[in-house]
Amino acid sequence: MQRERRVQVVLLFLMCGAGCGGSGTHLEDPAVCKAAWQPLTAPQPFLPVAGLVTQGQTVYYSTFSPSTLVAQPTDGSAPTTLASVGTAELWIEGDHLLFTGGDLANQIYSLPLTGGTPQLVLDGGAGRTSPNVAMAHAFTAGDFYWIEQDPTARGLANSTVWDQARSGGMPIQIGATSFTDPSGFDYPGIAIGLSASTLVIGSAFGQSATVPVGGGTAASLLAMPTASAEMNVESDLAGVDVLGAYWSVPGVGDQPGALILSPADGGPAKPFFASVPGNGLVRRIWPTGDGDWVMTSLEIYSDGIDHMTLWLVDAQGKATRLGCSPSAASNSWIEKGVAVAPDAVYVPAENLSADTWEIDRIAR
């Protein structure tokens, strides 16, 4: 379903060509940005199942078939398999990788960056008779937080929110959310962001909420990205962080799309930019950890082709184009998380037609 939607979006842009930007729209020459987009690895089959992370001169990633955790040197030399396990979520903490595992993805394991045997550090199902599937995690030095989906439930509270101290002890449910798709079925939270006092839960169809990290208060639904029910359904979750939930809202007619923020403080939805850089369609946005963001968008260039474009956005909202894919966006589709280093951004770029992927490097 998700793959079909992605392909449809790409085809729409391909069919539009240079004429979709409205009369008088200036289209950039892709020569200004595609040279910055360089392959780090050769294409390989089977897509990554977690976003990339990086430290020092190495990028780390996970694959599904075979299930592996891999260290890829940034000089392009041969990768090293660290462990024969796969994961949907991957982080770096100090000199270890942290990653999810278990049948319900509710266990957290630790692995030295040099490889070895993964060690269980947290079990979100401990002492529980019927834990559900963990959808996404966030953590601090003292706690892990996550969303669970009950795939069999209908009605309120389809997604529950949990906290477990890293020092051990029982998992504690601290909240529940209720999101509903256009057909009336419950829809789970699929992304989580964390501030000092609040968890931001992102779903789909323009729906998001906050849950206090201490629990005890009902989840608060955040503002829908637009006043139009139809446009909210079409809005795609671009990311979540301490500020709130970000939505990629497509344009109507020859109008460009918008990136809308549903603020975590419960305020009205508002554009994140006065106008989207390059007048493209934003796809995803991720905080870099130092007050900036990395953002991807689809943008039509003067060659009449849509290119996947990578931007660096600073705290004042100024966007700098870092690079654009050498060929069509469908050959460099970015869905998983990017890895940000001081001198470059590393992206897991999918070729949708060939069912391959590669790691590409875009200099900062």
Side-chain angles (χ1 to χ4, degrees), residues 80-160:
T80 300
T81 296
L82 303 179
S84 297
V85 294
T87 182
E89 296 180 274
L90 181 65
W91 309 272
I92 286 181
E93 186 176 55
D95 60 356
H96 282 65
L97 292 170
L98 293 176
F99 60 94
T100 55
D103 292 340
L104 301 176
N106 62 359
Q107 296 174 327
I108 304 292
Y109 289 84
S110 176
L111 179 74
L113 295 178
T114 53
T117 301
Q119 300 296 314
L120 179 67
V121 296
L122 197 90
D123 185 356
R128 300 170 58 193
T129 57
S130 56
N132 291 307
V133 178
M135 301 296 292
H137 290 77
F139 60 90
T140 65
D143 291 83
F144 275 98
Y145 301 92
W146 68 94
I147 320 163
E148 285 188 9
Q149 177 198 7
D150 180 353
T152 66
R154 289 197 62 179
L156 299 181
N158 185 33
S159 290
T160 51

Side-chain angles (χ1 to χ4, degrees), residues 251-325:
V252 177
D254 63 355
Q255 297 301 308
L259 182 65
I260 302 296
L261 174 65
S262 295
D265 63 9
K270 57 186 179 181
F272 190 64
F273 298 107
S275 61
V276 173
N279 289 321
L281 177 67
V282 172
R283 286 293 306 152
R284 296 286 181 263
I285 186 168
W286 301 273
T288 63
D290 56 8
D292 295 339
W293 294 264
V294 169
M295 185 179 78
T296 58
S297 69
L298 295 172
E299 186 174 347
I300 298 289
Y301 286 78
S302 61
D303 58 0
I305 296 174
D306 67 302
H307 295 257
M308 185 65 73
T309 304
L310 193 76
W311 303 85
L312 185 65
V313 184
D314 67 18
Q316 287 71 47
K318 178 184 177 183
T320 302
R321 183 191 283 111
L322 297 181
C324 58
S325 59

Side-chain angles (χ1 to χ4, degrees), residues 173-214:
Q173 183 178 329
I174 60 172
T177 60
S178 179
F179 303 119
T180 305
D181 72 15
S183 67
F185 284 89
D186 286 330
Y187 202 83
I190 54 177
I192 188 170
L194 176 64
S195 72
S197 60
T198 305
L199 294 164
V200 180
I201 310 297
S203 184
F205 313 112
Q207 300 173 95
S208 55
T210 57
V211 173
V213 295

